């Protein structure tokens, strides 16, 4: 799948210093998928040079193209500097366009500012960016007359509003939120014959909707919503040409694998979970770590979580070992991404996986390693910036304490430590309206306080 990208690297990589200033793609965003992260950064620098070139006839358009490139760099790497550069460049593009003479171009630049904010919220967990994104999308929608700008603004607004409803919406509201994507996706589909990039953008919109449906479905335990997510991701993958849109195809296949796993967990269908693992493994077979480190790490995490679900269904400790291996692979990328909440979430999930493995085998050494890693992650956490991630880490640490009492049958201060961690987590979940997590924390707190543990196992 990435053969064409590798061929581009072979042909152009050694000659990148001699490329024209407009770079490899010449401003065609549809070709960005074929570039690995190194070449993508080079493309961003080339776009910056083209935008600032004396005598450039369309500097605003060149700046918009540069913003798109730098946002993709941020999506693949988690680099906050690249995302700030993308946002600033998109703002300069909007300022350079005349909103009265070129309303669609101005709207497209303003929508790009919205996508930069939305990407920042997704990568760095900053809820304040949602308001900035919504304002940008509303401005873009008000100015747009046609082309890509109007459907992209509608998709951005639908995404922001759906995310705001994730914590409280019922199943009917979730369906209405998903329905808001239908018209703009259809508009992008209609543009694919005239605008090459529209097909990839339509697939991205379907994946945004699928991800939101997964969020709604998991919170509401709604099989139908999760099945809709599976169908959306499958539709996105089916409409792509894997040879020319390899990264979006891999993202779609990974999303399908995650949705299948969640659907299988909800319905108790082990075959669906196995199908999810197969889809994720297929995505990893074609996804290069050099091409998109963050997508590769995310897919490793998704496969780890799917293997955990299979391990729970089969009580096979070997499957948990495979899941830990996937977590460790993801950490090759995430260990340097200290600003990403995803790093803490991965560390917590790995700790829970090790705890479950220790419960099955009675191996306290595994539990010691998990507890030490979790405490290191908590010491590095910033609860003021990511309170929910910090609370999840507290919940996972309490889970490790509970597992130790389960295995040994003795309490050497773990019960009190677990109560402190769970009280802190419960307070944060309550403040943020995260009902399902609050219920999980309260159930764990009740177990710890009442001593509702299983019979001790013999430690290895």
């Amino acid at each position: 799948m990435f053969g064409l990208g590798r061929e581009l690297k072979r042909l152009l990589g050694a000659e990148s210093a001699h490329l024209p200033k407009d770079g490899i793609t010449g401003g065609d965003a549809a070709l960005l998928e074929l570039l690995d992260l190194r070449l993508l950064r080079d493309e961003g620098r080339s776009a910056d040079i083209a935008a600032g070139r004396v005598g450039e006839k369309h500097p605003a358009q060149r700046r918009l193209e540069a913003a798109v490139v730098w946002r993709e760099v941020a999506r693949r790497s988690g680099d906050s500097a690249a995302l700030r550069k993308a946002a600033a460049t998109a703002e300069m593009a909007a300022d350079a366009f005349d909103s009265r003479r070129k309303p669609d171009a101005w709207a497209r630049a303003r929508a790009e500012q919205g996508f930069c904010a939305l990407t920042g919220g997704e990568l760095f967990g900053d809820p304040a960016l949602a308001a900035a994104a919504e304002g940008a999308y509303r401005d873009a929608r008000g100015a747009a007359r046609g082309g890509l700008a109007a459907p992209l603004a509608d998709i951005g607004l639908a995404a922001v509003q759906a995310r705001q409803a994730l914590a409280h919406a019922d199943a009917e509201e979730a369906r209405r939120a998903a329905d808001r994507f239908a018209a703009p996706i259809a508009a992008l589909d209609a543009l694919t014959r005239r605008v090459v990039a529209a097909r990839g953008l339509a697939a991205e919109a379907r994946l945004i909707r699928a991800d939101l449906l997964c969020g709604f479905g998991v919170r509401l335990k709604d099989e139908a919503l999760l099945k809709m997510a599976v169908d959306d991701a499958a539709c996105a993958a089916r409409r792509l040409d894997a040879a020319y849109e390899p990264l979006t195809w891999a993202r779609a296949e990974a999303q399908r694998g995650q949705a299948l796993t969640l659907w299988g967990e909800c319905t108790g269908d082990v075959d669906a979970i196995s199908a999810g693992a197969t889809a994720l493994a297929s995505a990893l077979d074609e996804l290069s770590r050099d091409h998109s480190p963050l997508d590769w790490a995310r897919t490793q995490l998704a496969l780890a979580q799917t293997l955990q679900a299979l391990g729970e269904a089969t009580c096979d400790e070997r499957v948990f070992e495979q899941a830990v291996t996937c977590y460790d692979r993801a950490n090759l990328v995430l260990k340097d991404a200290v600003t990403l909440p995803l790093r803490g979430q991965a560390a917590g999930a790995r700790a829970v996986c090790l705890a479950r493995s220790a419960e099955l085998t009675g191996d306290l050494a595994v539990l010691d390693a998990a507890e030490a890693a979790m405490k290191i992650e908590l010491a590095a956490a910033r609860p003021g910036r990511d309170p929910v991630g910090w609370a999840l880490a507290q919940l996972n640490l309490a889970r490790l304490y509970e597992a130790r009492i389960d295995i040994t049958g003795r309490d050497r201060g773990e019960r009190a430590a677990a109560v402190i961690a769970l009280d802190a987590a419960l307070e944060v979940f309550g403040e943020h309206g995260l009902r399902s997590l609050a219920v999980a924390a309260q159930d764990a707190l009740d177990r710890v306080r009442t001593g509702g543990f299983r019979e001790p196992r013999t430690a290895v």
Side-chain angles (χ1 to χ4, degrees), residues 39-49 66 69-70 73 85:
L39 286 176
L40 189 67
R41 288 185 186 277
D42 289 345
E43 189 72 6
R45 286 187 279 267
S46 296
D48 287 340
I49 292 170
V69 174
W70 286 115
V73 169
K85 188 175 184 64

Side-chain angles (χ1 to χ4, degrees), residues 207 210 214 229-235 237 249-262 272 275-276 278-280 282:
L207 296 182
C214 283
V230 172
D231 294 342
D232 246 355
C235 180
W249 182 91
R251 286 169 176 164
E253 194 67 1
Q255 182 66 64
R256 186 174 73 88
Q258 288 179 283
L260 277 168
T261 299
L262 295 171
T278 301
L280 288 161
S282 297

Side-chain angles (χ1 to χ4, degrees), residues 57-81:
K57 294 181 179 179
H58 306 288
Q61 182 61 32
R62 298 289 87 80
R63 292 198 186 281
L64 178 56
E65 291 164 3
V68 171
V69 174
W70 286 115
R71 179 165 63 89
E72 181 62 18
V73 169
R75 285 185 72 190
R76 296 193 201 179
S77 65
D79 185 350
S80 58

Side-chain angles (χ1 to χ4, degrees), residues 402-446:
E402 188 178 350
R404 185 175 294 278
I405 298 174
D406 279 347
I407 292 171
T408 64
R410 296 190 298 272
D411 176 16
R412 296 179 175 177
E414 291 88 0
R415 189 191 305 273
V419 168
I420 292 171
L422 289 168
D423 275 335
L426 191 59
E427 182 178 352
V428 172
F429 295 149
E431 287 176 356
H432 288 78
L434 302 172
R435 185 176 179 279
S436 59
L437 288 173
V439 169
Q442 186 61 59
D443 288 346
L445 192 58
D446 292 341

Side-chain angles (χ1 to χ4, degrees), residues 332-391:
L332 295 173
V333 171
L334 297 177
K335 66 182 178 182
D336 298 322
V338 294
T339 60
L340 298 185
L342 185 64
R343 174 185 167 177
Q345 294 164 13
R350 181 182 183 274
V352 170
C353 186
L354 285 169
R356 188 69 182 108
S357 178
E359 287 176 339
L360 290 171
T361 62
D363 190 346
L364 287 177
V366 172
L367 202 58
D368 290 339
E371 190 175 319
M374 195 71 259
K375 287 180 177 177
I376 290 171
E377 197 62 37
L378 265 172
R382 290 181 287 179
R385 178 164 186 174
D386 182 19
V388 175
W390 178 85

